[in-house]
Amino acid sequence: MKKLIIPLMIFASFISEAQIFQKHLMRKANRIHKKIFTVDTHADVPINMMEMEGFDVGKKHNYAEDGTQIDFPRMKEGGMDAMFFAVYLAQGKRTQEGDAEAKEKALAIFNKIHEAVKANAEQATLVRTAKEAYRNHKNGKIGVFIGMENGWPIGKDLSNLTLYYDLGLRYITLAHSYNNDLSDSSGDPEGEEHGGLSDLGKQAVAEMNRLGIMVDVSHLSDKAFYDVIKESKTPVIASHSSCRAICDVKRNMTDEMIKALAANGGVIHINFVADFLKKPSNEVAISIKTIRMQTMKADILPEDKKKLNQELRQIKYKYPEDVPTVKDVVNHIEHVVQIVGINHVGIGMDMDGGSDVLGIEDVSKIKQVTIELLRRGYSKKSIKKIWGRNTMRVLEEVTTYAQKMRKR
Ligand SMILES: [Zn+2]
């Protein structure tokens, strides 16, 4: 009997030590989140605001019940101080009518975001600059930035950029999963069309530089990425992309691309979509891709999309070893740090747009990332950079450049 008791005691003391360490890290993470400003660069909650019957971003929801990942109360709970709400449009027809429809839809999403912020003024504020975001955070409020995913609503008329800028827009992902008039996409099944950015795309980058809108290279083809680096006078972001060296998919960035982005002062924000973090087995990958492409069709009905998304989740639960954890997330963060240092990595979880990490089911759970960073020895200063300071540095540079251009 004694022979058994001693190893058991050692085992028990080992468990409690691990638990104590975990609690210590949790407390430390809580303290850090009370002090630092955190921002996520890609939030698809406007999709729920537009399409989900009765969805109110000002009220707390339950992921297990409705699959939603973001609302203001859960942001507060998680220590998520600001997010870029995405004005997202799946690529549709690139005709005059198509472009007009895209513009109308985009304006409706802007309007929805503005209304939601107004209706919840005690919780959240629309922010447009780093200064505004920091001040707002000091006042204890959540910051709502606006980004646009897919430049389709610009159509062929670059004066639309001023219109959207005035509505608060501070970044544009030039293309989504299909090529558009501005740029080639990494996802278009037809392959490249412009061989990178189109001439209009190059002009759009110059105009975005002039106005103070960040250029977002996520979703773009590799050639389009290098074109943006060449054309942009200010640092650019990848609002939600991970590392291709760890997970070899075209949506992710190669080491060479990350180095070029960093050399230009930019920031890559790690995406929490499962198959961009950890390569699923082939059969799963094929079914995921087929379903995801279907969900991205412009004319898809909300109820069909919901069904497809449920199907997506079910595929993953059938293959639990394919579902990434916070360790996979931090592996991507660390990879960027290893190749270009601490100043060029941030977080763009893609919540409500496919984000799927075990244990970080919704925005209230984001401290798990901080805990894992602490466990791996990252300092508070480094965590502050990853969770927002780096992103705000790019926004500051972009804003300052535009102010200087205007004074000329
Ligand atoms: Zn996306």
Side-chain angles (χ1 to χ4, degrees), residues 334-354:
E334 282 215 293
H335 182 74
V336 179
V337 174
Q338 272 159 13
I339 60 173
V340 292
I342 193 73
N343 296 324
H344 304 283
V345 62
I347 292 170
M349 299 183 284
D350 211 351
M351 280 196 173
D352 291 327

Side-chain angles (χ1 to χ4, degrees), residues 42 44 88 149 173 176 218-219 240 251 271 350 353:
H42 198 82
D44 273 321
Y88 159 69
E149 183 173 33
T173 322
H176 188 240
S218 287
H219 283 286
H240 58 309
R251 256 297 267 114
N271 187 328
D350 211 351

Side-chain angles (χ1 to χ4, degrees), residues 265-315:
V267 175
I268 171 175
H269 298 80
I270 300 304
N271 187 328
F272 288 20
V273 168
D275 40 327
F276 301 158
L277 286 173
K278 193 174 175 183
K279 205 153 190 204
S281 56
N282 244 344
E283 46 180 332
V284 182
I286 292 164
S287 17
I288 288 175
K289 197 173 177 195
T290 319
I291 299 174
R292 186 161 290 141
M293 287 312 275
Q294 279 174 277
T295 66
M296 281 165 192
K297 286 193 175 138
D299 52 1
I300 187 167
L301 296 170
E303 55 266 34
D304 289 340
K305 193 166 163 184
K306 205 174 160 189
K307 261 186 232 151
L308 288 168
N309 278 331
Q310 270 164 357
E311 240 177 273
L312 263 181
R313 276 205 288 274
Q314 269 150 20
I315 291 178

Side-chain angles (χ1 to χ4, degrees), residues 131-162:
K131 240 189 221 163
E132 281 181 8
Y134 288 140
R135 199 189 310 133
N136 184 58
H137 177 232
K138 274 210 181 104
N139 293 336
K141 281 193 196 168
I142 285 163
V144 174
F145 279 107
I146 303 180
M148 180 183 272
E149 183 173 33
N150 192 355
W152 180 37
I154 299 164
K156 284 121 192 135
D157 180 2
L158 296 183
S159 74
N160 281 324
L161 286 169
T162 305

Side-chain angles (χ1 to χ4, degrees), residues 209 237 253:
N209 285 168
I237 58 164
M253 297 176 78

